[in-house]
Structures are given as structure tokens and as C-alpha cells.
Amino acid sequence: MNTVLDSVVFKFIYCMLVSSDECANSFKIIGSGFISEKYAIIGFLITAFFLIFIIVNGALVGVLALIWGERRLVGRFQARLGPNRWGPWGIFTPVADAIKVMFKEDISPTLSDKFVFILAPILMVVPVLMIFAVIPFGEATFLTDLNVGVLFVLAITSTNTLSVLMAGWGSGNRYGIIGGLRAVAMLLSYEIPMALAAVGVILMAGSLSIIQVIESQVIPYAIFQPLGFLTFLIASTAELNRSPFDITEAESELIAGYMTEYSSMKFGLFYLGEFMATIASSAIIVCLFLGGWKGPEILPSHFWFMIKWILMICVFIWFRATFPRLRVDQIMELAWKGLFELTLINILSIAILMLIWPDPSITELWIMTGIKWIVFFVSLWIFGKLLGPKPLQKNGVARKIVLQK
Amino acid sequence: MSLRTEPVTMNVGPIHPSTHGVFRMRVTFDGEEIVDVEPVIGYLHRGSEKLAEERTYTQVVTLTDRMDYVASMTNNQSYILSVEKLAGITPSPRGVWLRMIAAELQRIASHAVANGFLINDLGAWHTPLLYMLREREKILEMFEMLCGARITNSYLRPGGVFMDAPDQFWPALNRFLDEMPNRIDDIERLLTTNEIVLIRTQNVGVLKKDECLNASITGPVLRASGVDWDLRDKNPYDYYDQIEFSRPLGEIGDNHDRFLVRIFEMRESLKILRQCIENIEPGPVRPKEVPFLVRPPKGDSYVPIESPKGELGFYLVSDGGISPFRCHVRAPSLINLTLLREMVLGDKIADLFVTFGSIDVNMGEVDR
Amino acid sequence: MTKCFSGEKICELIDEINPQSVVSTNSDSVHIQPESALSVFSELKNKENCQFNLLNSLTAVDYIDHFEMVYHLTSTIHNHSIVIKIICGEGRKEPKVSSVVNIWRGADLQEREVWDLMGITFENHPNLKRLLLWEEFPGHPLRKDYLR
């Protein structure tokens, strides 16, 4: 209860309801509430439900905004306008989409395993909503500050795998099964580089709490440990099943992969879960690597967080609009032969640097950053040579197209 | 350690996002690996060859449009050349130049679609495809100027074309010729050195020279395998003998070579278009003496041309009447599919669609 | 320019292989016997001065009193082409020729198409099934006597 009360927003609403000395001291203007301290738990629960309501609905609105934003932005990437019919700049298009999805016929195939089939989309959405509990949206604006926040996030995101497998298996469709099996192979593999990349951050911060991680970032970790940032970014793109790692739905191969048999709101929930995961993942990356709410004091912390957040989402949309898809064996190769080793190099280099400078000053931090960048380029060059595409050779000459006159 | 696995048979198509129409494959997978592929076609069969037997020679032109509907102009051209040879018609020069311009524009459009969809099959979420379709759109607008239709043109007639190009066509064509090289460069910058495209396409779906020739595979697929066989050069029809151009040849014959060959052929087509504009002279587009009801003497003719997909030829038999006695289409799309199974065996599921896309078939032409 | 051989030239070429094979000679094509077709084709493909390595097109025509197979062959090495025709079967009954799939793999789908639409049986074809129509389809629609 006490850690929750660290959050300013939570405490504010709590104090409007409950009368206590602490509240009276903290917020002089509003004074204290009407519930006596004996029944404080009621006030606490009401506050919690109110905030959960706000965050869940905020996430839903965020998804609608993201659907619109993604379609508009991808439209621009693809030299076209994007949706522009419903409302100004087409901002009501996702609303129309949502209404359409709700009124579609709900089909469940005869061969499907009904229980698993219905449970899968729910399992997709609920865990993602839980991530929002630990995200600080600004200075002292968070729902809770778990002391194992990073671990919590990693654990919650991995339940995604289960949902995808259940959807693929339960729908009794071969495209679905292939999609589900691919998902398990890929998502399990990318858990490891993702967790190991987060270890680099945890080492520097000395804490698993997301608030502590943000506060420890004098230099944002994206600049301080580029290797960790890159691997985390790639691994979380894979965790989100987004292009270039969208082999689980792979439109051009598996039609829609594990979602092939889903229609109506069940499909809507998958859609929702996927976009919500994008939002949550971007927020996590902002917290762990881009300094969270921190920024020059021209703007309030919340604005800084929002700006970084939206930029991060745009990066994901950018990936989606530009990259072709990797093949399944190449994806596994990238995870196990590339990212895994790169994250180990990252952890090792941070550990060595922290042995040399256990309590670094600002100048020492910048020296460490420089060393990290050197490690970054050298290791990327080596791994690029080892894993990258080899230009095919014929008679010792690189292959080319011959123009016959 | 070996796992006991069981192959799974699955119907891919006829309704599937990347079978380019109503193509169906009965595919057997072992895990991710392809064990067997059997193409099943005929979902778009409209009996064009039978229908042609009941129409006059001019009416059949509209049927040819609907065969390869992303390259109607070359279909028209092949059919008209065959009719001209059968009936002994000498076309008027301006008509020939105009239909060469139309055919080369069509080749660019068709290759743009082929490459765009190939990259789409790689999973690029429509971006390169839409860049390609944007260029194709300009060509379709030019076709609209020429004949009023965008896809099913029916522009050619025995003896030339049915209408001269309007005044606004030439500035549009010149603007297109100025812009297009930059657009192709853009696409190349985006794709040909893209690492993901490279690792996905190199050494996948390899076709050897001899296999290719033996299986009658023609067109860019054959040239990507390194055989210098382009009918515009080896057996020039129309006025291609007056034109200089080079043929891009691949070395290995994998998907990447086929992609590159198409990109280079688009450049060569632009060169041909420029020479056509230089050579074209005013005059009638169709000789006055050619009647609307062509009555060729008894006999048969087969004139193969280089369509964007490969060698396209109409084998026409005349019994002296107003409609062909027999009209057979040598469809490159169909015959290029002969080796599909050999190309994809042992590859992963994802490669199946890329290889299929790189052959560039058009279901309208496969099934006719 | 691809050299299209006249009927006499083709006749000479085939006579070198099998003198009894040619039935009749037209201006631009020859008719050969169905029995000796396979040996003639394989020689045409392999012989030094022929080397017809590309089977352009293979089709059949229903001439009401008989069926005729038409083969267009091209050599990409010498850049010349010939047309060979075979009258198959006696009259309209059970038209039959031997398959050339073993010589040119490209004949595979084309022969299946001809079987499907014209009903000419190809002996020794590895997979002679209907190509465009379904297996239960009655008749062969490109025949002149096919009604509905």
C-alpha cells in the first residue's frame, strides 16, 4: 500500500476520498476526504479501480490512435494518402473499423477446440494491460513501483507465446498450427536476448525497479550502451510479431497465421492486443533506454515521456513499412548466433567498465560511453561479416548482371 | 538427435494472398521443409481458344486482352502479328511504331508489377509494391490516352492500331521517359542491396541453363539463367531489327537474378521507347485497304513474340472463313510453371511463394 | 533472324535420320509417321546440324476427318526453327501419339492440356491427367463435335 502511495496521482485521488493526517499535510488545498481512516481500504480500492479504468480506457484510445496513426504514416511511406474519409484527416476511421469488427459474424470452425479457441484472444489482451501498471508516465505519475518491475515486464510479455500457440492449435487450421509453432520457436528464442539486453541496464542501474532505472540514467542508456539498445529493440520487435519478424502471421505465406480462423471481436481482440503490445513495448523501451520522463526542463516531464513514446512507436511503424520479412531459419540464426552473443558482449563490457570505475563521475561516464561505442562498432562489424549475406562469387568475381550487346 | 516428424499436406490456394490469382498448390510439408508440390490449375479457365473459333478475327482481339491481363498490349501484338502473317497484310509503319511503343510500355508495367509483387511475397508490407504500382499507373494513363481503356486495351488491329495517339500522349510519354530512370534507381537503392532481400533471394529457386531450355522456359526466367535468348533480338518482329538494345543476363538463375533481370529490362525498354519516338513518322496508322472482316486464305501461322512473361505465340489455322478454325495460345506463364516442383523441393515454406512470385505467372494466361 | 526451314529442307533433315518417316511435305512443314516420331524427335534434338533444344509449342488441331499434332521446334544454338506435324490415328477414333516428355520436359504441361481439351492420348506420359478441367468433365471441348 505504501509503495503505491508514492505515486502523486494515486495519492491525490486517494486523499480526496480518505481523511488522514498524511493527506492533510500533503495536499493543503483540497484538504482531506470523507471516508474515515478506519475504512481507508475502501478509499484505496475505489482509487485503484478508478485509475485502472482510466488506464485501460486510455490504452484502448491509444490503440485507436495508433491504428489511425499507423495507417496514415504507412500511407505516407508508401506515397499515398492513407485513410481520409471519416472525420478530419480520417481520425474516425478506427472507430468505424471497431464498429465493423463488432458487428461481424462470429464464426468458430467445427474442427476447433472451443475452449482454447475462445480463451486465446483474451489471453492476448489481459497481460498486455498489466504492463501499464508499472510504466511511469511522468515524474511520480505511475500506478505502482514494483521493486522487480523489469522482471515483471519480461515475465508478462512472455505469456504472449502461450496465447499465440493456443490460437494456432485451437483453431484446427493448418496455417494456424504452422503459425503457432513458428511463434513458439521465435518468441522463446527472442526472450533470451531481450532479457540479457535488459541485464545490461539493470547492472548499471543497480535495481530492477523501473523508476530506479530511469533515475539512474544520467546519459540515456540508448547512448550509453548502444549494443544493448539495438539488441533490445530487435528482440522486442520480434516479441511484438511485427515486420520483419512477422512470420507468425506472415500474410504472404500463411494468410494470417494463427489468426486465420478468427473473426468478429475475437479477431478484434487479437488486433487490440497486438497494437496495445506495441504501445506498451515502446513505453518500456523509453523507460529502460531513453531516459523515461527525463528531459530539459522547458517542458513538463509528462510531455517528454509522450514525445519519446510517440517517436518510439513511429520507429516500429517505420520498420514495418520498410523491411521485407526474414525466413524462419534466418530468424533463429539471428537470435542464437547474433543477438545472444552481442548481448553477452554488452554485459561483459559493462561489467568490466564497472569494475574499473565503480562510482563514475560525469567525465568517466562519457569515457565509458566512448568505449561502449567502439565495442558496438567492432562487434557489429565482426558479426556482420560472419552472418551477413555473402555476395555470391563466380570465378572470383562478384556476381553481376551481364548486358549482352 | 532426430525427431519423429510427420508430413502435413495442405492446400495453398486457390484463395490465398500470394498465389497471384486462383492458383492452387497441393503442398506437403515436413515441419518447415517442402517435400512435395503439385500445382492444380484451371480455376480461371474461360475457354478462350474455343470462344475464338466463333468470333471474327478482329473480335478475337478482345479475348486476347483477357488472357494476360497485366500485359494486354503484348497479347494483342502477338495475335495481330499472327493474323497479319496468315492473311498476308503489310502493316503501315506508323501503326507498327505505335504498337511497339505500347508493347514496351506494357513490358515496363508488367515487370513493375512482377517485381513489386515479388517483394510483397517477401513480406515487405506493400511499400515497394506501391512504388511500382505508382509508375504503372502512369503507363495505364497513357494507355487510356491511346485507346480509352486501361487494362483491357484492344488497341491493335490487323494492319496497325485502330487510332492514332492524341496530342497529349507525346508530352506524357516524354515526361515518363525523363522520370522513370530515377524511379528505377530509387527502387534499386531500396531493394537490390537490402540485406534481407539478398539473404532471402540469393541461391533460392535455382534454375540451371539446360533444365530451363529443356523445359521450354522462356523470357526473363531463361535469361536470368544465363541463356541469351530474346526473340526481339534473335527473331525480330515488327521493327525491332532497326533498334539497338542490350539483353541483361543473369549468371546463377536464382530469384535474385530474376529480380535483377527484370529491373534491367525496364531500363532497356526505356531505351527502346526513346528510339521509337525518334523513328516514328506521320502517316496512316492502319492501311485503308485492310477490311474489317479479314478473310485469310487456308493455312496456318505461328509468330512467337517476346512478351514480358516469355515467348508468346498464337497458332492460328484458317479454313478461309471469317473466324479462325483453330486458335492455340502458347502461354509462357503456363509453360514456365513446368519446373516449379523441382525449384522449391527442399526449401522452406516461405521460399515457395518467393520462387513462385519470381517466375511471374499470370493466372489469366495460365488458364486462358 | 531465326531461319525458318522450308518443307523440302525439313524433309532432307529427317531423311538423313529415317528415310521412311516423312509422309508428305508442305511449303513450310512436313508430316511424319506417328510410329517413327519419337526416334526422329530425339535425333532432331541431338544431331549436330539440328540441335532443336527448345520445344516452342505443341498443339493439336481437329480437322474434322482427322486430328493433327503440330510441333514447333527451335534451336537456340543455330537459331533456326522447323514445324513438324503428325496425323494421329485413323480418322477420329482413338487419336494416339507417343509422348515427347522424355525428350523435352517442356512438353509435360502442354501435352496434358492437349489431352484435356482435344482428347489425344499420349503414350508413356508420366502424369496424363486433365490440366484445366476437372477429372469428371464429359468430353473434350476443343473438338469440333463437342456440343455443350
Side-chain angles (χ1 to χ4, degrees), chain A residues 257-271:
Chain A
Y258 62 92
M259 297 195 286
T260 309
E261 292 289 355
Y262 281 89
S263 60
S264 182
M265 209 48 215
K266 291 203 206 82
F267 172 75
L269 281 180
F270 272 120
Y271 211 64

Side-chain angles (χ1 to χ4, degrees), chain A residues 71-328:
Chain A
R71 289 176 67 177
R72 288 291 287 190
L73 199 58
V74 167
R76 295 300 161 130
F77 274 119
Q78 298 177 345
R80 59 190 171 87
L81 289 175
N84 61 355
R85 293 285 126 176
W86 272 94
W89 312 291
I91 49 170
F92 295 133
T93 315
V95 180
D97 275 356
I99 293 170
K100 184 200 76 173
V101 161
M102 273 187 241
F103 285 101
K104 284 247 172 183
E105 188 189 354
D106 193 6
I107 302 165
S108 35
T110 329
L111 282 175
S112 66
D113 184 339
K114 291 281 179 324
F115 180 69
V116 177
F117 187 70
I118 293 167
L119 193 61
I122 301 168
L123 262 185
M124 185 87 177
V125 177
V126 175
V128 183
L129 281 172
M130 286 163 74
I131 296 178
F132 287 102
V134 292
I135 295 171
F137 299 97
E139 202 165 4
T141 314
F142 49 86
L143 208 55
T144 175
D145 177 20
L146 279 183
N147 54 4
V148 286
V150 179
L151 203 60
F152 174 77
V153 168
L154 291 175
I156 289 293
T157 46
S158 62
T159 54
N160 185 346
T161 320
L162 194 62
S163 153
V164 173
L165 179 63
M166 280 165 73
W169 182 260
S171 52
N173 178 312
R174 283 169 191 177
Y175 291 116
I177 292 171
I178 294 176
L181 294 180
R182 281 177 171 191
V184 175
M186 182 179 79
L187 297 178
L188 288 183
S189 311
Y190 278 85
E191 285 291 313
I192 292 155
M194 194 169 166
L196 287 178
V199 166
V201 171
I202 296 161
L203 267 182
M204 276 307 288
S207 167
L208 279 168
S209 151
I210 288 183
I211 311 290
Q212 299 279 317
V213 168
I214 292 173
E215 274 168 1
S216 71
Q217 295 185 40
V218 183
I219 305 165
Y221 287 140
I223 300 168
F224 180 70
Q225 34 176 306
L227 209 49
F229 178 59
L230 188 77
T231 44
F232 195 86
L233 189 63
I234 293 173
S236 49
T237 319
E239 286 287 307
L240 291 171
N241 294 331
R242 284 178 77 90
S243 182
F245 301 99
D246 56 345
I247 51 164
T248 53
E249 18 188 299
E251 195 215 348
S252 62
E253 297 154 28
L254 301 182
I255 303 182
Y258 62 92
M259 297 195 286
T260 309
E261 292 289 355
Y262 281 89
S263 60
S264 182
M265 209 48 215
K266 291 203 206 82
F267 172 75
L269 281 180
F270 272 120
Y271 211 64
L272 198 71
E274 205 174 281
F275 277 91
M276 229 181 250
T278 311
I279 296 175
S281 239
S282 310
I284 295 297
I285 292 174
V286 170
C287 291
L288 294 188
F289 287 97
L290 299 176
W293 66 74
K294 284 190 172 179
E297 289 192 3
I298 328 155
L299 288 172
S301 61
H302 303 82
F303 279 90
W304 280 115
F305 188 79
M306 284 303 284
I307 290 168
K308 290 173 184 174
W309 200 2
I310 289 169
L311 276 179
M312 205 56 234
I313 291 173
C314 288
V315 168
F316 279 123
I317 296 174
W318 178 33
F319 282 177
R320 185 168 203 171
T322 33
F323 287 128
R325 186 184 307 122
L326 283 157
R327 205 168 56 205
V328 63

Side-chain angles (χ1 to χ4, degrees), chain A residues 327 329-330 389-394 399, chain B residues 196-208 224 251-259 342-348 351 354-355 358:
Chain A
R327 205 168 56 205
D329 55 327
Q330 291 159 349
K390 291 160 196 71
L392 289 171
Q393 301 260 316
K394 197 183 178 190
R399 176 250 292 269
Chain B
I196 299 181
V197 174
L198 284 180
I199 57 173
R200 281 297 302 278
T201 54
Q202 282 191 338
N203 263 346
V204 176
V206 179
L207 264 182
K208 299 260 174 1
E251 284 186 344
I252 296 160
D254 56 3
N255 291 341
H256 195 247
D257 268 348
R258 289 193 271 277
F259 170 76
E342 280 78 356
M343 282 162 88
V344 298
L345 277 195
D347 285 349
K348 301 282 183 289
D351 295 332
V354 182
T355 307
S358 79

